[in-house]
Amino acid sequence: MELFDNIREYRVILGSGSPRRKELLAMLDIDFEVRSAGDVDESYPADLPAEEVPLYLARKKSNAFLSGLRENELVITADTVVICDNNVLGKPGDSEEAFRMLKMLSGRKHAVVTGITVATREIQISDTAITEVEFAPLSDETIKEYIGRYRPLDKAGAYGIQEWIGAVAVKGINGSFYNVMGLPLHLLTTLLLRIPARKHQ
């Protein structure tokens, strides 16, 4: 029996354009395709607690797929944010905002939170992974060098732990490394294993 026998009869869809999530999901040895739901409004209620934002957005992305989902399809959606001082740091809009984000993270601990939703037409299940990351102090020159070389504008909190900045600045993490990359694989595995196998018609 294979680990993911229960979803063998499903066509698995990764509802994300992130190359990192595609690379991470491939590590589970599951056949899948990448599909877009189009532009999803990523706003959220102002009074929503910071740690609940990613799950709210992951469900919102999931719901955008549901009306067009076929009986044999399963969609995975996710959203990742960085939280520092209760500030939700998503993707920076430009280099200046990226600099401000990294300046805020310098020499401090922050939380990386990913919400995941796994859905078929019959079931939708979700959960959140939280990882604590500690940065060493970063000089302005180091921050500018990283932004200039790696252009981290597509990453929550303006950094990728798998890049140069992770090697030179991350002092330690408590929790899932893959969560910091954008897809906590152990949590995703537990959610996928909760999906009932399809009954043959």
Side-chain angles (χ1 to χ4, degrees), residues 16-197:
S16 171
S18 164
R20 288 165 300 284
R21 290 198 180 115
K22 181 180 178 182
E23 174 189 341
L24 290 170
L25 183 55
M27 290 176 66
L28 297 185
D29 284 342
I30 295 172
D31 289 331
F32 68 94
E33 64 181 80
V34 175
R35 192 181 298 177
S36 170
D39 289 330
V40 177
D41 173 24
E42 295 195 19
S43 62
Y44 51 86
D47 60 348
L48 191 67
E51 289 185 354
E52 294 179 21
V53 168
L55 195 55
Y56 178 90
L57 294 177
R59 286 177 176 149
K60 208 172 187 182
K61 293 174 182 178
S62 180
N63 291 338
F65 280 95
L66 290 185
S67 62
L69 211 58
R70 297 176 178 169
E71 282 187 13
N72 69 330
E73 291 181 331
L74 177 155
V75 64
I76 299 164
T77 54
D79 191 85
T80 302
V81 300
V82 169
I83 301 173
C84 187
D85 280 347
N86 214 38
N87 293 302
V88 175
L89 307 183
K91 298 172 185 174
D94 54 33
S95 295
E96 288 73 24
E97 188 177 7
F99 181 87
R100 287 195 297 273
M101 287 183 178
L102 288 168
K103 192 77 173 164
M104 182 186 298
L105 301 179
S106 172
R108 307 177 64 194
K109 293 180 180 178
H110 61 272
V112 179
V113 185
T114 300
I116 297 181
T117 297
V118 175
T120 68
R121 278 174 45 169
E122 286 75 37
I123 187 172
Q124 186 183 55
I125 54 177
S126 305
D127 208 345
T128 297
I130 302 175
T131 303
E132 184 183 77
V133 181
E134 182 177 5
F135 263 36
L138 300 171
S139 68
D140 289 359
E141 291 72 23
T142 298
I143 293 173
K144 289 174 183 174
E145 181 181 357
Y146 172 64
I147 294 171
R149 284 171 58 185
Y150 288 89
R151 302 292 301 164
L153 303 186
D154 63 336
K155 298 176 178 68
Y159 79 93
I161 194 169
Q162 72 279 12
E163 294 177 341
W164 177 80
I165 196 78
V168 303
V170 173
K171 290 178 70 175
I173 69 170
N174 182 15
S176 167
F177 175 84
Y178 296 121
N179 177 36
V180 187
M181 284 184 68
L183 194 65
L185 294 178
H186 174 70
L187 176 61
L188 176 57
T189 295
T190 64
L191 295 180
L192 289 172
L193 292 176
R194 287 170 55 191
I195 298 291

